[in-house]
Amino acid sequence: MIETLWVIILSFSLFAIGIFGLISRRNLLFILLSLEIMLNGIILLFVAASNLHGNNDGQIMYLLVLTLAASEVAVGLALVIQIYRQQQNLDVDTLTKLRG
Amino acid sequence: MIEAIFMITAIVCLISALLTVTAHNAVHALLYLVTMMIAIALIFFLFGSPFAAALQIIVYAGAVMVLFVFVTMMLHQGEKSNLDEKALFSLKNAKGPLLLATILIAELLMISVQPLEMNSSLVPLSAISNEAEQDSAQRDNTSQPNSVKSLAIQLYGPYRLLVIIAAMLLLSALIAAIHIARKTPKHVDVDLSPEETQLANKQQKANS
């Protein structure tokens, strides 16, 4: 018997930790990691709701979010590589030109 | 018993998430993130959805993490990167974000503790209510409401469009990633002489 309240608190805490990382880090790689943490918090809530209500819609949404996360990571890491080629570090504060 | 395991897993999950966010070494952060994802997979098992747990391990802890590890391998420069990262981020400078995140969590705790009459109506997760069972039994004719079989039937029945959208999303992400990460020669459009542009145009026509 897992209380729903604890699941919600866990999911929201993960989301808040992700937001903290997103705001405070300046390395693009760590920003992507924080986004992963936020998505995991949301996913947890979806699967928990799917089991609470006894239907599969939450798990189908989980599949879609999983796809979204995978494609987001692929594009984000391609951008990381390209930015590293241009300025030899990943500090997002120095990204001031659209075309370097 | 299940609740105790859930609590331990949740604490492991939160601690590894915090360590991911505050780590200075990218490889350490990745390993903490894998720990967090496996903890979440364990929580999915406790919920009684093994398919989601398996996908969490295969896709997240497997595929996505391999991508991250490869990029870190390409870009990490040992001690220099760690020192750079220490200059970029320290907990002393991150007081503002810490405050904001703490406010968010405190608000959630206040909302969830204060109105007790709202919480008492929540059903425990593992006890699926009879109404929901009847509902889903009417909706699809499978015996178990949360099995992989019924999930697959729903996925290729009413949610067909979603599968196609997911496939197109993955394909476009693949193309975008290849295009962005490609090594572009610098100032290619400036340095081309007229003959070279003609040649390029001919090649384009031949290709099309």
Side-chain angles (χ1 to χ4, degrees):
Chain A
M1 294 286 198
I2 303 168
E3 283 283 339
T4 315
L5 183 63
W6 290 114
V7 180
I8 294 173
I9 288 176
L10 172 65
S11 152
F12 210 86
S13 309
L14 279 178
F15 194 83
I17 290 171
I19 282 186
F20 165 68
L22 193 70
I23 303 175
S24 63
R25 301 307 293 243
R26 282 162 64 192
N27 190 326
L28 193 54
L29 198 68
F30 284 92
I31 290 177
L32 282 178
L33 290 182
S34 308
L35 278 178
E36 288 299 306
I37 294 177
M38 288 165 75
L39 278 176
N40 267 289
I42 295 165
I43 278 173
L44 190 67
L45 206 57
F46 269 125
V47 177
S50 146
N51 271 54
L52 176 67
H53 297 294
N55 67 5
N56 279 324
D57 294 345
Q59 292 202 37
I60 287 165
M61 201 63 205
Y62 165 71
L63 281 175
L64 190 69
V65 175
L66 204 70
T67 322
L68 177 83
S71 32
E72 170 243 322
V73 162
V75 176
L77 287 177
L79 283 172
V80 163
I81 292 173
Q82 198 62 35
I83 288 168
Y84 191 81
R85 272 197 202 124
Q86 285 186 4
Q87 58 174 20
Q88 300 306 310
N89 62 21
L90 292 175
D91 187 1
V92 287
D93 284 3
T94 58
L95 285 175
T96 50
K97 282 184 231 161
L98 272 182
R99 192 175 171 136
Chain B
M1 182 63 190
I2 287 179
E3 196 162 34
I5 295 177
F6 171 78
M7 283 300 171
I8 295 167
T9 320
I11 290 168
V12 168
C13 189
L14 285 178
I15 289 174
S16 48
L18 270 176
L19 286 173
T20 307
V21 166
T22 54
H24 283 123
N25 193 332
V27 183
H28 292 177
L30 285 176
L31 291 177
Y32 288 133
L33 193 65
V34 172
T35 314
M36 191 203 81
M37 281 165 179
I38 291 175
I40 286 181
L42 185 57
I43 291 175
F44 287 171
F45 266 120
L46 294 181
F47 286 163
S49 43
F51 183 62
L55 268 186
Q56 177 82 9
I57 291 179
I58 293 169
V59 176
Y60 263 123
V64 171
M65 279 306 111
V66 164
L67 270 180
F68 270 112
V69 168
F70 270 122
V71 170
T72 314
M73 269 166 56
M74 281 173 67
L75 306 184
H76 205 61
Q77 297 172 325
E79 268 314 302
K80 184 180 171 296
S81 295
N82 295 349
L83 290 177
D84 285 353
E85 193 51 41
K86 270 180 192 147
L88 281 184
F89 171 79
S90 66
L91 269 182
K92 272 183 235 155
N93 299 334
K95 273 180 195 145
L98 196 63
L99 186 70
L100 292 178
T102 320
I103 287 174
L104 277 181
I105 295 182
E107 271 181 352
L108 172 81
L109 287 179
M110 271 171 59
I111 292 170
S112 49
V113 171
Q114 200 77 18
L116 279 175
E117 66 274 8
M118 198 183 84
N119 288 334
S120 56
S121 66
L122 290 176
V123 194
L125 273 177
S126 36
I128 297 163
S129 61
N130 283 328
E131 290 174 31
E133 220 165 280
Q134 283 169 357
D135 264 9
S136 54
Q138 281 169 357
R139 215 175 300 151
D140 47 11
N141 295 325
T142 47
S143 52
Q144 293 163 308
N146 246 326
S147 67
V148 181
K149 189 181 170 190
S150 64
L151 180 69
I153 288 172
Q154 274 202 324
L155 202 58
Y156 288 96
Y159 287 101
R160 271 166 310 195
L161 194 64
L162 204 69
V163 178
I164 298 172
I165 289 173
M168 288 176 72
L169 186 69
L170 278 177
L171 180 65
S172 53
L174 177 74
I175 295 170
I178 291 173
H179 177 73
I180 294 171
R182 201 181 43 179
K183 254 189 192 150
T184 46
K186 281 196 174 170
H187 308 299
V188 66
D189 41 0
V190 182
D191 292 342
L192 274 181
S193 60
E195 298 89 53
E196 278 174 326
T197 43
Q198 274 183 351
L199 200 70
N201 285 342
K202 268 183 197 168
Q203 275 177 347
Q204 270 189 350
K205 272 178 196 166
N207 284 339
S208 62

